[in-house]
Amino acid sequence: GVALGLDNKVSLLRSYLTAFLYVLAIGLGALWFVAINHLTNAKWSIVVRRVAEIVAAQMPVIALLSLGIILPIALADTSHGDSPIQGLYAWLDEARVHSDHILHHKSGYLNKGFFLVRYVVYFGVWVGLSWLFFKKSTDQDKASSSESEEIRGLLARVSAPAMIAFALTLTFCAFDLLMSLDYTWFSTIFGVYYFAGCVINSLSWMVLALRWVQSHGRLSSYVNENHYHDLGKLMFAFTIFWAYIGFSQYMLIWYGDIPEETAWYKMRLTGDWWMMTAILPVSNFIIPFFGLLSRHVKRNPTLLSIWAVYLVCARYYDLYWLIWPTSGQETISFGAVDVLVLVGVLGVFFGMAARRAKGVTLVPVKDSRLPQSLAFENY
């Protein structure tokens, strides 16, 4: 009975980790979208940028949601291997560390103290950047013309180092929370793989958020098919990029045929997981590739929203495939608990985002590039 109870707790933590990393992907994708638009001086996206800023500004909420994973790690007694969180992260078990050569070799990096320090750095960077972009952008709404240009210049200058800090923190966070679930495996492009999923997830939710806002009579005169077209092109491009990174990772490991690397894929080709693995490139690449290929689809907000719904589901499928095979089970146990945990985490996240949106205009009205965004035509 005790063992069954422990297994249930480990499964609940695994469900929560999947839901948390899904929501984190939305926030990180939105933060990247804001930063890249300032960095490139993009004009088409001015009318949709505030929605991304509001989503990215929920980083403090995501940090609080992460406590469902971080607190068990912080409170784990590493001298005893009987806590549920050690069922996810074996590197928290000192006995396991001393008995396993690979884990012992990696213990300088994979240990509780250093992990918690890195976690604080990650969210310190993300919360700080999201706050800066959101605060300065909303301050611009009340600024004079000269002050507005100063703010624009500041955000442009900040965006370059912000992208470097973003890339490093996202990559190492993907290593820590996802790749370390299987401590024997490593991939230097794993962070890029997670990043590609973050952008697809965030862009898809942005499209759905814009459609929801417009259905309530807001932004109708600002956001049109030209803006949806560019969002659709980004969704299409990053779907291809995700497939490229995923294939590159698999191909190099398959070609090298090193046991320490191939074991990660081997566990995903046993039991019920082989079917999920076979479906993954079809569901997350081939189907959306042809679905988003047409210019007509990308310029039709309703059709693009349908594909956005498809992609947000496909993103969860990918995360589930990344996380759950490390449980050692050969059967897929997706059920009501996974759905309820995901709905709960998403509910908190979007509920707080909607609350934040009430206090600000949904378009940066004092940005000098706004007329160009309104007149933007996508051929």
Side-chain angles (χ1 to χ4, degrees), residues 226-297:
N226 294 292
H227 304 104
Y228 281 110
H229 191 178
D230 262 15
L231 289 171
K233 285 194 289 187
L234 284 171
M235 291 161 62
F236 178 70
F238 273 89
T239 295
I240 298 172
F241 182 63
W242 171 88
Y244 166 71
I245 295 299
F247 173 76
S248 297
Q249 180 174 269
Y250 175 80
M251 184 269 293
L252 290 171
I253 290 174
W254 171 81
Y255 185 80
D257 200 21
I258 301 172
E260 290 84 353
E261 296 177 349
T262 56
W264 192 84
Y265 282 102
K266 184 178 179 181
M267 74 172 66
R268 287 163 175 78
L269 293 170
T270 56
D272 292 346
W273 300 114
W274 76 267
M275 184 178 297
M276 194 172 185
T277 301
I279 293 172
L280 183 69
V282 177
S283 63
N284 284 49
F285 171 59
I286 295 175
I287 292 175
F289 175 86
F290 287 104
L292 291 169
L293 186 61
S294 168
R295 180 176 185 270
H296 171 70
V297 170

Side-chain angles (χ1 to χ4, degrees), residues 29-341:
L31 181 57
W32 171 85
F33 183 83
V34 173
I36 199 69
N37 277 277
H38 285 297
L39 182 63
T40 59
N41 192 28
K43 300 173 180 64
W44 73 269
S45 58
I46 302 300
V47 295
V48 301
R49 196 187 71 212
R50 181 58 53 81
V51 172
E53 290 170 346
I54 291 169
V55 173
Q58 302 316 300
M59 274 299 166
V61 177
I62 299 176
L64 290 175
L65 290 171
S66 74
L67 295 179
I69 296 297
I70 302 304
L71 280 180
I73 292 176
L75 299 175
D77 183 357
T78 57
S79 62
H80 295 85
D82 56 358
S83 68
I85 194 66
Q86 289 166 327
L88 262 69
Y89 299 110
W91 48 267
L92 288 168
D93 183 355
E94 289 182 4
R96 186 83 170 265
V97 171
H98 291 302
S99 63
D100 190 302
H101 172 71
I102 294 176
L103 195 51
H104 181 71
H105 185 70
K106 294 183 177 183
S107 62
Y109 182 84
L110 289 178
N111 62 80
K112 184 170 77 170
F114 191 25
F115 171 87
L116 294 175
V117 170
R118 295 196 302 272
Y119 161 80
V120 171
V121 172
Y122 301 153
F123 274 95
V125 170
W126 298 335
V127 170
L129 289 176
S130 63
W131 175 85
L132 177 65
F133 284 125
F134 182 78
K135 178 70 166 54
K136 291 300 179 182
S137 181
T138 51
D139 284 350
Q140 192 179 39
D141 294 342
K142 304 182 285 288
S144 64
S145 297
S146 60
E147 291 171 336
S148 176
E149 287 306 303
E150 288 178 9
I151 292 173
R152 173 183 166 182
L154 170 65
L155 294 178
R157 290 192 300 273
V158 167
S159 60
M163 289 297 286
I164 297 172
F166 173 84
L168 290 172
T169 50
L170 181 147
T171 298
F172 280 94
C173 183
F175 290 168
D176 289 353
L177 290 178
L178 268 172
M179 197 161 68
S180 73
L181 290 168
D182 182 356
Y183 62 86
T184 63
W185 186 70
F186 53 91
S187 168
T188 54
I189 61 173
F190 188 79
V192 184
Y193 182 92
Y194 181 64
F195 161 72
C198 289
V199 178
I200 297 169
N201 205 10
S202 188
L203 290 170
S204 301
W205 279 108
M206 275 182 62
V207 168
L208 296 177
L210 287 167
R211 289 297 291 154
W212 184 83
V213 168
Q214 288 188 321
S215 71
H216 287 74
R218 305 182 69 183
L219 294 183
S220 298
S221 59
Y222 288 94
V223 181
N224 55 46
E225 66 274 7
N226 294 292
H227 304 104
Y228 281 110
H229 191 178
D230 262 15
L231 289 171
K233 285 194 289 187
L234 284 171
M235 291 161 62
F236 178 70
F238 273 89
T239 295
I240 298 172
F241 182 63
W242 171 88
Y244 166 71
I245 295 299
F247 173 76
S248 297
Q249 180 174 269
Y250 175 80
M251 184 269 293
L252 290 171
I253 290 174
W254 171 81
Y255 185 80
D257 200 21
I258 301 172
E260 290 84 353
E261 296 177 349
T262 56
W264 192 84
Y265 282 102
K266 184 178 179 181
M267 74 172 66
R268 287 163 175 78
L269 293 170
T270 56
D272 292 346
W273 300 114
W274 76 267
M275 184 178 297
M276 194 172 185
T277 301
I279 293 172
L280 183 69
V282 177
S283 63
N284 284 49
F285 171 59
I286 295 175
I287 292 175
F289 175 86
F290 287 104
L292 291 169
L293 186 61
S294 168
R295 180 176 185 270
H296 171 70
V297 170
K298 292 191 283 286
R299 292 181 67 85
N300 186 311
T302 300
L303 292 177
L304 187 61
S305 297
I306 292 172
W307 282 106
V309 170
Y310 177 88
L311 283 172
V312 299
C313 296
R315 286 294 89 224
Y316 184 84
Y317 184 97
D318 182 36
L319 276 174
Y320 194 91
W321 177 79
L322 288 173
I323 293 169
W324 277 84
T326 58
S327 66
Q329 303 174 22
E330 292 193 358
T331 57
I332 298 172
S333 57
F334 181 80
V337 172
D338 301 282
V339 175
L340 290 173
V341 171

